[in-house]
Amino acid sequence: MARLLVQNKDVVVRLSWREALLARRKEVRVPLADVREARVETDWWRTLRGVSERGRWRPGRFCMGTWRHAGGVDFVAVGAPGPVAVVDLFPGRRFARLSVSTVDPEGAVLAVRLAARWAREGTGPLGGGQRHEPPRNGGGDEREKRSTTSA
């Protein structure tokens, strides 16, 4: 089954070897800065838009590859039945949407949302923002407080 991961500053879709054969690619990488929204869709077929461009599909069973529609191109790796992790991207990017059937779609979506927010705000472990460090003396030594106030 496909995996939706956050790796460095990218959202990565990793496919199993069977899925890679059907989709004709091993993985898809998208920068976190391109993520507009991430959500879970309960019905896998609702994530499909347009017509199959490259890859394989079997009606009612699975869809792997790219789908072209009026708004651009979507990458899909979905299988019936079950929920799907959907990552919508900003217009003008390589893909308009990533739709992935994964073991834990809620967890994957939560990870993408959090990492995308950190990337936008420049905070957190991925953004390179300021880190919070505890005081060196363990939280407040009276001698240090007196020495800084008397000087």
Side-chain angles (χ1 to χ4, degrees), residues 63-112:
C63 297
M64 303 285 165
T66 56
W67 285 61
R68 181 168 296 284
H69 54 88
V73 177
D74 294 346
F75 179 79
V76 297
V78 297
V84 176
V86 178
V87 179
D88 289 317
L89 306 172
F90 287 110
R93 305 307 193 262
R94 183 170 148 200
F95 294 112
R97 177 185 286 174
L98 306 175
S99 299
V100 183
S101 290
T102 184
V103 175
D104 181 18
E106 291 87 7
V109 165
L110 185 62
V112 169

Side-chain angles (χ1 to χ4, degrees), residues 111-123:
V112 169
R113 281 182 187 162
L114 186 60
R117 189 178 77 204
W118 283 346
R120 276 192 304 272
E121 294 174 356
T123 60

Side-chain angles (χ1 to χ4, degrees), residues 39-60:
R39 59 187 163 81
V40 175
E41 180 62 56
T42 56
D43 296 322
W44 69 277
W45 53 269
R46 287 186 180 183
T47 65
L48 302 176
R49 309 184 286 184
V51 295
S52 177
E53 181 179 65
R54 184 175 182 203
R56 305 282 283 189
W57 59 278
R58 181 167 293 162

